[in-house]
Amino acid sequence: MATTSFNSHQDGMKHASKEQVLSLLDSDTESENIQNLLSNIIEAKCNIAGSAEVIKRFNQIGNQKKDIKIPIEYISLIGFDEKQLILSFNEEGTDDLAFTATGIYSFSTDFLDILFHMSKFSGYCFKMNETDLLRENLEYLLDNTTGRTKQYRFINGIGKNEDDMYLRAITSEQYRNYDNNIVLYLALVSMHNYSKSMATKVYIEKAYITDSSLDLTLKLDEKIKLNSDFSIEVGINITNSEIREGAVLFEFIYTINDNNGMKSTAIGDNVVKIQHNNRFETVHSKMAKLLDLKIYTDGIIDGINVANLATKLDENVLFSIFNKFSRSKALEKATKSKLEQLHKDEIASNTLNIIELFDKLEKLNTSVDDKTYLQKKFNDFITKGFK
């Protein structure tokens, strides 16, 4: 599936037009309600540098998505594409084939687990090359199970795969979809309005967008001096997943810079948390909390022990930090291996302060989720110490 990323140090920093921002919304009732939540952009341009490029990249994703409720009686197993299921779906009430679709990402594991508690069994069958055994059991269950309707997220392929259909996930029927286009619209309009009210420039530092998820960082274009050696930049990190029963998060984010060019980014408290079942009126009141960004800024500045930023980390502190990483269930194995090697490389020298260490951690080639985890841990170490 298509993904795209934006980096303020590499890509264009043009300002989107008001029309480009509004184009993120569809013509349905949900989009109309969202548009009425905020004071819309009335100026010709959005105040956020980089917004034009991010909207352009969002539109390039191109995958058409649809959530459909389907009874299990209309689903059949066609076969396997490596460890993914290929399923067929009949026209409701008939035996006529409507279409087939292939699982992607974690769909097949989730489908087998949610419907039949078979994810471990399927894993064993794939590992032992016993797919015929899996096929036999799954076909029997599909043929003999009734009364189970689930909502499935289908995604059309693009480019050379434009005629193909994919199964992205089983989605919840209980929540309203605050999809990426709506979340991106909320982020740009709210931070545009904040920029106007505070007379502060805002820019997009980075964005990572997939067919069903969004990770976006907006920063205030100013550095606040902590002392002669360190300064801080603040902003908001926005994350959303269209297929998980989680929340849209607007989290306080800040980057501490030193005079040697080292920097480390931390993710702090939630500023806005939108549950997928929140009513539009609730979202309106929650978005107003972004005007409290200065309170979060003052709080983190007051909470940082500046003297500790320059202190070299001794062997015990380094061990404490890396031990937390090694015991974390959130980090991927590949990331843990890189962290272990970095620990071995650095523990002998003991010449790093906390900014220099996390500067190295940020430069590791890790997933977006793992990088976010490390940034949240940096905030913990800065505000709570190393216990």
Side-chain angles (χ1 to χ4, degrees):
M1 291 294 97
T3 63
T4 188
S5 59
F6 169 87
N7 186 312
S8 64
H9 302 294
Q10 301 170 0
D11 301 305
M13 297 298 287
K14 293 181 180 178
H15 296 250
S17 67
K18 174 177 65 175
E19 289 73 22
Q20 285 176 301
V21 176
L22 284 170
S23 73
L24 289 168
L25 297 180
D26 300 319
S27 57
D28 54 22
T29 303
E30 186 175 75
S31 291
E32 184 178 337
N33 288 332
I34 288 293
Q35 187 176 345
N36 293 332
L37 285 180
L38 304 174
S39 298
N40 293 309
I41 296 174
I42 58 175
E43 295 76 14
K45 294 283 187 180
C46 174
N47 279 1
I48 301 170
S51 52
E53 183 67 22
V54 167
I55 292 174
K56 174 185 173 183
R57 288 171 180 265
F58 172 80
N59 289 331
Q60 287 174 345
I61 291 292
N63 294 115
Q64 297 296 313
K65 299 168 285 189
K66 182 176 289 187
D67 288 345
I68 308 174
K69 296 178 184 178
I70 301 176
I72 196 169
E73 291 89 339
Y74 304 133
I75 302 175
S76 300
L77 176 67
I78 295 296
F80 305 100
D81 181 4
E82 295 184 350
K83 295 183 180 181
Q84 293 285 1
L85 303 177
I86 305 173
L87 301 178
S88 68
F89 299 84
N90 292 343
E91 294 283 0
E92 187 170 353
T94 76
D95 292 327
D96 297 332
L97 178 67
F99 55 87
T100 63
T102 302
I104 54 173
Y105 300 114
S106 63
F107 169 80
S108 296
T109 300
D110 293 342
F111 176 86
L112 290 166
D113 204 38
I114 293 170
L115 271 297
F116 306 117
H117 304 288
M118 287 179 63
S119 59
K120 290 184 178 180
F121 174 69
S122 66
Y124 173 82
C125 290
F126 286 126
K127 182 178 180 181
M128 303 304 294
N129 198 27
E130 292 284 0
T131 52
D132 286 344
L133 181 60
L134 176 59
R135 176 192 290 272
E136 180 182 344
N137 282 270
L138 186 52
E139 285 179 342
Y140 175 84
L141 289 169
L142 287 170
D143 289 342
N144 293 276
T145 303
T146 59
R148 306 199 68 186
T149 298
K150 296 294 180 183
Q151 182 169 277
Y152 297 89
R153 164 66 60 92
F154 292 92
I155 297 180
N156 290 331
I158 57 175
K160 64 179 182 180
N161 303 115
E162 64 180 354
D163 294 328
D164 296 328
M165 182 81 76
Y166 298 95
L167 280 159
R168 180 64 174 86
I170 297 176
T171 56
S172 172
E173 303 172 48
Q174 305 303 315
Y175 65 80
R176 177 180 290 107
N177 285 325
Y178 290 105
D179 283 351
N180 284 343
N181 64 310
I182 289 176
V183 175
L184 183 55
Y185 173 84
L186 288 173
L188 294 179
V189 173
S190 59
M191 291 305 290
H192 168 89
N193 291 335
Y194 180 87
S195 171
K196 282 194 336 182
S197 65
M198 302 298 291
T200 303
K201 293 182 179 180
V202 178
Y203 72 98
I204 296 175
E205 181 182 62
K206 67 174 180 65
Y208 180 76
I209 308 168
T210 76
D211 55 87
S212 298
S213 66
L214 173 70
D215 189 302
L216 176 73
T217 299
L218 295 95
K219 288 278 189 70
L220 307 189
D221 194 11
E222 61 177 345
K223 289 187 177 180
I224 304 167
K225 283 284 188 180
L226 296 176
N227 64 7
S228 59
D229 297 317
F230 299 99
S231 61
I232 186 172
E233 296 175 90
V234 302
I236 293 291
N237 193 71
I238 301 106
T239 54
N240 181 50
S241 174
E242 297 177 359
I243 62 173
R244 296 177 184 170
E245 292 188 53
V248 183
L249 296 179
F250 287 67
E251 298 170 293
F252 182 71
I253 191 169
Y254 58 98
T255 300
I256 302 176
N257 304 266
D258 71 12
N259 288 341
N260 297 318
M262 298 288 181
K263 62 180 182 179
S264 299
T265 298
I267 295 178
D269 295 336
N270 293 336
V271 180
V272 176
K273 183 176 183 180
I274 301 172
Q275 300 289 351
H276 280 280
N277 60 359
N278 283 158
R279 296 181 303 141
F280 294 113
E281 296 81 3
T282 304
V283 174
H284 178 266
S285 62
K286 287 186 174 185
M287 292 303 296
K289 293 181 180 178
L290 284 177
L291 296 176
D292 296 334
L293 194 55
K294 187 176 186 305
I295 296 174
Y296 289 87
T297 302
D298 294 342
I300 201 65
I301 290 175
D302 292 341
I304 294 174
N305 187 329
V306 179
N308 285 343
L309 296 180
T311 302
K312 300 300 179 183
L313 304 174
D314 63 29
E315 184 175 335
N316 291 331
V317 172
L318 280 172
F319 177 82
S320 175
I321 292 173
F322 282 98
N323 186 49
K324 289 182 183 294
F325 294 152
S326 67
R327 291 188 288 108
S328 170
K329 295 181 180 179
L331 290 173
E332 298 173 2
K333 287 184 180 180
T335 298
K336 288 185 178 182
S337 296
K338 293 174 184 177
L339 291 169
E340 183 180 352
Q341 185 58 51
L342 180 62
H343 187 200
K344 291 177 180 177
D345 293 342
E346 300 299 340
I347 198 167
S349 59
N350 293 341
T351 60
L352 297 178
N353 61 36
I354 189 70
I355 303 297
E356 293 165 338
L357 172 61
F358 274 83
D359 178 83
K360 289 179 178 289
L361 295 179
E362 278 197 49
K363 291 175 180 175
L364 292 176
N365 184 19
T366 64
S367 67
V368 173
D369 287 343
D370 282 2
K371 194 173 293 291
T372 298
Y373 174 87
L374 293 173
Q375 290 173 338
K376 289 185 176 182
K377 279 301 174 186
F378 179 53
N379 177 70
D380 288 344
F381 293 139
I382 287 292
T383 57
K384 301 174 185 177
F386 304 107
K387 295 180 180 180

